Amino acid sequence: MSTPNPELALDKEIAQRYVAFLVENGRNDDPDARRDYCEKAGVHQKLLHNNPHIAAIEKLFQDQSSMERLGDMTLRQYMMYHYYYLHQGYRYGAPKLQQKWLGHDIIKTPQDCWVYQEIIAETKPDVIIELGIMFGGATHFFASILDLVGHGEVLGIDISLAKAKPPQNKRITYIEGSSTSEGVLEQVRKKAQGKRTLVIADSDHEKLHVLGEIRAYAPFVHVGGYFVVEDSLNDVMGYHPVPNEGPKAAADVYLTETDDFVLDRRWGERYVMSLNPNGYLLRVK
């Protein structure tokens, strides 16, 4: 068994704080910026110069267009960039880079949001069930798309609504509680039973929890509709909760239990950059 490297957390912390320094001060990475940061932070310049993350930071924070800076990145490198600096910028020291929808922090990729509006326009759900809402940014995004379509409502379910902004759209209803508890499921049945329903699972990403949600909520999805298992990229990239297995593993197991759903890779993942590989499950019967 390998011994954890005690310097790794320090390396990561220095890199994150340096990125925050660059963003907050509107600066590019250059010798002057590195010197100023180290003086301000009380960090020896060698620790930044030899930081294992500095090559990526140097590539990202140059006085060039994004295509020039990122053009030779691999897809995996870009996914790492997106995860730490856009997807969850609020958490990793770069809140100004956090993507938003109408002022709400939203933890989705733009490509997946685009796919969602296409799914909504094509399948015309009466109800969108969102399992796990965090800040409520995606909840408001879905409601906005339903406004444009002119039909539908959003049920946002979370074990705690402490971080969620109050609903600012009449199409939104929040339900607080465990997504798989009988009390919550009964409330959902009253709203969604027998209706055209899109389900999006984005709460606890541990395999058994996700599998429980799929089993509980898949029956709500109409034929021709979707159950989206979000953040299956966790399994691919090695994010939490890997190595305990996550959403992708749960979806894989569920598809061995039923032939009511099939993977929809060509349509659901055609923009390549997705947090949900093998996560777009289409109900076919």
Side-chain angles (χ1 to χ4, degrees):
M1 182 175 179
S2 62
T3 303
N5 181 355
E7 299 300 322
L8 203 56
L10 179 61
D11 290 337
K12 182 177 178 181
E13 182 180 4
I14 290 172
Q16 288 176 343
R17 291 182 177 178
Y18 180 49
V19 168
F21 170 82
L22 295 176
V23 173
E24 290 168 2
N25 293 279
R27 297 184 63 171
N28 297 309
D29 172 56
D30 56 37
D32 289 341
R34 294 186 187 187
R35 183 197 64 238
D36 292 347
Y37 163 74
C38 289
E39 289 179 356
K40 180 179 180 181
V43 172
H44 196 287
Q45 291 191 44
K46 287 185 177 180
L47 292 181
L48 184 60
H49 181 76
N50 295 303
N51 191 288
H53 305 284
I54 198 65
I57 295 172
E58 182 179 17
K59 183 179 293 185
L60 292 169
F61 289 90
Q62 294 181 27
D63 188 17
Q64 296 176 314
S65 71
S66 292
M67 285 301 295
E68 289 173 309
R69 290 185 293 112
L70 308 178
D72 62 347
M73 265 188 164
T74 66
L75 181 59
R76 180 174 288 272
Q77 287 172 330
Y78 180 77
M79 296 298 284
M80 291 291 288
Y81 159 71
H82 182 275
Y83 183 82
Y84 286 110
Y85 300 117
L86 302 180
H87 180 62
Q88 297 195 43
Y90 75 93
R91 175 181 291 178
Y92 294 111
K96 289 186 178 180
L97 293 180
Q98 176 67 42
Q99 57 196 14
K100 298 178 182 292
W101 175 258
L102 300 180
H104 299 277
D105 288 352
I106 181 169
I107 308 177
K108 298 275 188 285
T109 69
Q111 291 89 335
D112 285 329
C113 287
W114 191 266
V115 169
Y116 277 130
Q117 65 84 18
E118 292 182 323
I119 288 175
I120 292 169
E122 180 169 297
T123 64
K124 298 178 175 57
D126 301 314
V127 181
I128 298 174
I129 300 173
E130 184 188 13
L131 306 176
I133 67 171
M134 193 61 161
F135 304 120
T139 318
H140 285 82
F141 167 76
F142 297 134
S144 296
I145 301 302
L146 293 178
D147 280 342
L148 294 172
V149 173
H151 177 74
E153 61 179 309
V154 186
L155 297 183
I157 302 169
D158 209 301
I159 191 72
S160 171
L161 299 176
K163 295 181 180 180
K165 289 185 177 180
Q168 297 175 13
N169 187 302
K170 66 181 186 303
R171 297 185 186 276
I172 296 173
T173 300
Y174 286 159
I175 298 176
E176 187 170 39
S178 171
S179 58
T180 54
S181 70
E182 184 53 39
V184 168
L185 284 167
E186 183 57 32
Q187 294 181 67
V188 173
R189 290 188 194 102
K190 292 177 181 179
K191 288 277 191 177
Q193 195 77 52
K195 295 183 178 180
R196 300 175 64 83
T197 303
L198 164 63
V199 180
I200 300 161
D202 188 20
S203 60
D204 184 336
H205 294 324
E206 195 276 328
K207 172 186 173 182
L208 293 181
H209 179 81
V210 177
L211 184 57
E213 287 187 327
I214 302 174
R215 289 169 174 164
Y217 286 86
F220 290 112
V221 179
H222 64 283
V223 174
Y226 284 84
F227 189 113
V228 182
V229 181
E230 288 226 333
D231 291 319
S232 48
L233 186 71
N234 283 14
D235 300 75
V236 177
M237 297 290 287
Y239 299 147
H240 174 79
V242 174
N244 299 324
E245 295 191 299
K248 181 178 180 295
D252 291 343
V253 170
Y254 183 71
L255 290 173
T256 68
E257 299 177 349
T258 182
D259 58 0
D260 289 351
F261 286 82
V262 297
L263 285 178
D264 189 357
R265 291 194 185 103
R266 286 184 62 85
W267 196 75
E269 299 179 34
R270 69 191 184 283
Y271 299 122
V272 183
M273 167 62 178
S274 174
L275 298 181
N276 316 318
N278 282 15
Y280 291 94
L281 310 185
L282 171 65
R283 185 162 189 178
V284 293
K285 67 178 184 178

